[in-house]
Amino acid sequence: MKIGDIDLGREPLLLAPMEDVTDASFRWTCKKYGAAMMYTEFVNSDGLIRDAAKTIAKMKTYEDEAPIGIQIYGNQLEAMTDAARMVERAAELTQGHGADLIDINFGCPVKKIAGRGAGSGMMREPDKMVAITKAIVDAVKLPVTVKTRLGYDDDSKIIVELAERLQDVGISALTVHGRTRAQMYKGSADWTLIGEIKRNPRMHIPIIGNGDISGPVQARNAFDRYGVDGIMIGRATFGHPWIFREIRHYLDTGEFLPPMKVSERVALAKEQLAKSIELKGEKVGILEMRRHLANYVKGIPDFKPWRIRLVTENDPAALYATLDDISARWGDQAPQVSSIYEG
């Protein structure tokens, strides 16, 4: 699969952009375990054009993450276009790698974004969505992609026609989450319309499916049944970034890898903690790791007191010691991974 000149290979697995999850250290971990392409946390176009330091910092990427996309959201054509131009200058603005492509977030369903007409809230205004997309494509030289949903609700599943319109204004790939905005993350993702887009003889850009891929068999079925070019994985990676390796191995060999032992997960957690501190400094690096650490060893006996230690300790030496204690006690076990998003 190619997005512009970016060759991601056959049946690539992509890491979805997730606010407060896909920071640089987590992206580094997912890349290590086989993510073919990753995206930053989504970037507010209004904050970007106001030169908000925190927003600009979200665009910082690193050479070893390439290829990587920076995703922007908003609902005003001029602001989105200006923000896209800034993304194109991300290497200069952040002294980092920059962006290999620009992704437009027309998919986020959360109220603070969709409720004000951005993200999947744009599904209520498809003409405006297409106009913003065209303006961005015309304004930048980087490949532009879109991530969106089936429609705003069950009565407005417009994605099949909308996919053609977005392609016609020049996007290089389309990712579709198999739910409506009204569904949020409830119920099951419906891939039927994603498959219909892919079977449409007018479509020639890569189609990437997203929604409820949490294991190797689901991924294999998504490729075989719906014919998508790639799969984007989001919530299933949280507390389980090695899912990319598990799925890749199954796609390539038809065999399942054994589950990771606690000792292996602890080693991963220590590596990511070190990377987070290296990139963000001790204070911020530890704070940002709290959302990941406990989930890597969730499932060990009497988990609660260990979790409390992992999410409250501020001293890196004490954190490493706690992780070593967990490995020493339960290193040979392989507890079932359970995402905080389940249920």
Side-chain angles (χ1 to χ4, degrees), residues 16 51 55 57 67-68 87 145 184 195 224 228 234 259 279 309 311 324 338:
D51 286 331
T55 305
I68 185 165
V87 170
T145 61
M184 300 290 287
D224 292 347
V228 293
L279 297 177
R309 287 171 63 179
V311 301
D324 286 339
S338 177

Side-chain angles (χ1 to χ4, degrees), residues 19-312:
E19 183 70 2
D20 294 330
V21 177
T22 52
D23 56 58
S25 67
F26 187 69
R27 297 194 305 263
W28 176 83
T29 303
C30 291
K31 184 78 171 183
K32 174 181 178 179
Y33 283 95
M37 185 165 178
M38 306 177 296
Y39 297 79
T40 62
E41 301 172 79
F42 32 87
V43 176
N44 183 338
S45 61
D46 294 329
L48 201 54
I49 63 175
R50 291 197 307 267
D51 286 331
K54 188 174 180 181
T55 305
I56 291 174
K58 284 187 176 183
M59 294 199 301
K60 185 159 188 178
T61 61
Y62 300 85
E63 291 291 339
D64 58 5
E65 298 184 278
I68 185 165
I70 293 178
Q71 189 189 72
I72 57 174
Y73 73 90
N75 69 345
Q76 297 301 315
L77 186 149
E78 185 174 351
M80 287 284 280
T81 306
D82 288 345
R85 292 190 181 101
M86 292 184 71
V87 170
E88 200 161 44
R89 295 172 48 225
E92 169 196 343
L93 293 172
T94 65
Q95 303 301 302
H97 167 73
D100 296 291
L101 65 78
I102 298 169
D103 190 62
I104 307 173
N105 180 338
F106 290 143
C108 180
V110 300
K111 186 175 181 180
K112 70 177 183 178
I113 293 176
R116 64 183 193 222
S120 59
M122 287 295 299
M123 299 294 287
R124 303 177 94 167
E125 300 182 89
D127 291 345
K128 186 176 181 180
M129 179 192 286
V130 173
I132 288 174
T133 303
K134 183 179 188 305
I136 291 174
V137 170
D138 291 345
V140 299
K141 295 179 181 178
L142 288 175
V144 176
T145 61
V146 164
K147 185 174 189 290
T148 190
R149 289 189 165 221
L150 302 179
Y152 192 81
D153 54 31
D154 284 343
D155 296 324
S156 60
K157 292 183 178 179
I158 60 174
I159 189 58
V160 176
E161 177 189 354
L162 180 61
E164 288 191 19
R165 295 181 66 189
L166 292 169
Q167 174 182 260
D168 289 347
V169 298
I171 66 170
S172 297
L174 175 67
T175 301
V176 180
H177 181 102
R179 289 181 174 87
T180 64
R181 188 273 159 173
Q183 281 182 273
M184 300 290 287
Y185 295 102
K186 296 177 182 177
S188 299
D190 179 5
W191 283 61
T192 306
L193 292 181
I194 302 176
E196 190 172 330
I197 297 166
K198 184 59 192 173
R199 289 190 297 271
N200 182 348
R202 283 205 68 243
M203 298 299 294
H204 56 79
I205 60 172
I207 303 300
I208 301 159
N210 174 231
D212 291 354
I213 299 297
S214 58
V217 174
Q218 291 168 315
R220 180 75 276 160
N221 288 342
F223 280 118
D224 292 347
R225 183 175 300 177
Y226 302 105
V228 293
D229 299 286
I231 287 174
M232 183 176 285
I233 307 173
R235 294 174 295 154
T237 67
F238 196 46
H240 190 183
W242 56 93
I243 190 173
F244 294 103
R245 184 177 69 178
E246 293 173 337
I247 294 177
R248 181 80 270 151
H249 184 81
Y250 184 80
L251 293 177
D252 292 344
T253 69
E255 299 175 352
F256 294 101
L257 284 174
M260 278 183 69
K261 296 179 181 179
V262 170
S263 58
E264 296 172 298
R265 300 177 191 187
V266 165
L268 178 160
K270 290 168 67 177
E271 283 187 346
Q272 188 179 334
L273 175 58
K275 192 70 173 179
S276 187
I277 292 172
E278 173 194 338
L279 297 177
K280 297 294 183 71
E282 187 174 297
K283 182 178 179 180
V284 176
I286 289 173
L287 285 173
E288 291 196 353
M289 271 302 295
R290 286 177 176 174
R291 66 183 72 122
H292 301 291
L293 279 177
N295 284 285
Y296 289 163
V297 292
K298 191 173 183 178
I300 63 174
D302 301 315
F303 178 68
K304 186 175 180 179
W306 295 97
R307 180 187 182 280
I308 291 172
R309 287 171 63 179
L310 290 171
V311 301
T312 58

